[in-house]
Amino acid sequence: QKEVEQNSGPLSVPEGAIASLNCTYSDRGSQSFFWYRQYSGKSPELIMSIYSNGDKEDGRFTAQLNKASQYVSLLIRDSQPSDSATYLCAVGFQKLVFGTGTRLLVSP
Amino acid sequence: NAGVTQTPKFRILKIGQSMTLQCTQDMNHNYMYWYRQDPGMGLKLIYYSVGAGITDKGEVPNGYNVSRSTTEDFPLRLELAAPSQTSVYFCASSYRLRDETQYFGPGTRLLVL
């Protein structure tokens, strides 16, 4: 059974701080890694994708991948109240396996 | 482009009833997926399709059926609805099967009583 593990949270950070979201996965053959953001009652939307070890930056978001440790993370710099949502980690080769998500709360 | 559209938005079914959840995409994507999301849980893959006429089971296919007669449409059929099928159903599509963003529809909330 391929598994993707995330801390359910909530992770509470003040506005302007860095939020760090973590995800571990069980399938060493996984080659694609995604972070989706899901607001309450809405559908998931892609935030970041990463395929190789290291960091990938896009605006305030940085995805980090360590395949040896089977670990992927998402850093959100200068967190805003509008970042408050559930963040889903998804891992896969052909079919994605989703984690249960981490709820992030950014307080003004 | 409308992207991925789903109908209905919300439906209440009685145990044993059947229904079809509709999904349409206008991005000419070959790959389409059906997921269910239970409260506080991640997405579970029900079925997916790699093109018209080709479908395959995902992680939780029992109690569901799909068909893919066109590139645009990928309906999900529930036969003999059960309370365990109460969930939010998301349809998604992507251009390629791997290494590719999946675009999600707005979801269908289903309640089976």
Side-chain angles (χ1 to χ4, degrees), chain A residues 1-2 31-32 34 36 38 41-46 49 51 88 92-101, chain B residues 33 35 37 40-45 48 57-59 90 97-107 109:
Chain A
Q1 182 81 3
K2 299 175 183 177
Q31 298 188 16
S32 306
F34 303 88
Y36 282 83
Q38 187 176 26
K42 301 296 185 181
S43 57
E45 56 178 332
L46 183 72
S49 61
Y51 307 110
L88 301 171
F93 175 64
Q94 291 183 326
K95 293 178 287 185
L96 293 183
V97 178
F98 283 81
T100 56
Chain B
Y33 316 83
Y35 294 92
Q37 186 176 35
M41 303 296 289
L43 296 154
K44 301 288 187 182
L45 183 64
Y48 68 102
K57 296 178 180 179
E59 185 181 356
F90 290 103
L97 188 60
R98 51 172 291 198
D99 299 346
E100 186 64 40
T101 301
Q102 291 188 17
Y103 296 88
F104 284 81
R109 187 174 299 272

Side-chain angles (χ1 to χ4, degrees), chain B residues 38-72:
Chain B
D38 298 330
M41 303 296 289
L43 296 154
K44 301 288 187 182
L45 183 64
I46 304 172
Y47 271 96
Y48 68 102
S49 170
V50 301
I54 306 171
T55 63
D56 203 354
K57 296 178 180 179
E59 185 181 356
V60 289
N62 291 343
Y64 307 94
N65 278 299
V66 294
S67 60
R68 183 99 181 268
S69 57
T70 68
T71 299
E72 295 78 20

Side-chain angles (χ1 to χ4, degrees), chain B:
Chain B
N1 286 349
V4 181
T5 57
Q6 293 183 238
T7 57
K9 291 183 179 180
F10 176 67
R11 181 77 180 268
I12 298 175
L13 279 182
K14 294 182 179 179
I15 294 172
Q17 287 185 321
S18 300
M19 76 165 294
T20 299
L21 282 66
Q22 302 292 345
C23 175
T24 300
Q25 54 90 11
D26 63 359
M27 297 175 282
N28 201 32
H29 285 169
N30 289 321
Y31 303 99
M32 297 187 74
Y33 316 83
W34 274 106
Y35 294 92
R36 60 176 287 173
Q37 186 176 35
D38 298 330
M41 303 296 289
L43 296 154
K44 301 288 187 182
L45 183 64
I46 304 172
Y47 271 96
Y48 68 102
S49 170
V50 301
I54 306 171
T55 63
D56 203 354
K57 296 178 180 179
E59 185 181 356
V60 289
N62 291 343
Y64 307 94
N65 278 299
V66 294
S67 60
R68 183 99 181 268
S69 57
T70 68
T71 299
E72 295 78 20
D73 300 307
F74 190 38
L76 178 71
R77 178 79 177 168
L78 278 72
E79 307 280 2
L80 300 175
S84 61
Q85 293 178 304
T86 293
S87 191
V88 179
Y89 292 84
F90 290 103
C91 178
S93 72
S94 66
Y95 180 66
R96 291 193 301 263
L97 188 60
R98 51 172 291 198
D99 299 346
E100 186 64 40
T101 301
Q102 291 188 17
Y103 296 88
F104 284 81
T108 293
R109 187 174 299 272
L110 178 66
L111 180 60
V112 182
L113 299 174

Side-chain angles (χ1 to χ4, degrees), chain A residues 37-104:
Chain A
R37 178 176 63 198
Q38 187 176 26
Y39 292 113
S40 180
K42 301 296 185 181
S43 57
E45 56 178 332
L46 183 72
I47 297 296
M48 292 283 289
S49 61
I50 187 167
Y51 307 110
S52 55
N53 280 330
D55 296 358
K56 178 181 178 183
E57 185 174 320
D58 183 1
R60 296 186 296 113
F61 299 95
T62 299
Q64 300 174 318
L65 175 61
N66 184 326
K67 289 185 178 180
S69 300
Q70 296 175 246
Y71 176 94
V72 58
S73 65
L74 178 70
L75 299 178
I76 306 175
R77 291 181 299 280
D78 188 24
S79 295
Q80 301 296 310
S82 58
D83 294 327
S84 297
T86 295
Y87 289 79
L88 301 171
C89 174
V91 175
F93 175 64
Q94 291 183 326
K95 293 178 287 185
L96 293 183
V97 178
F98 283 81
T100 56
T102 297
R103 186 179 172 207
L104 174 65

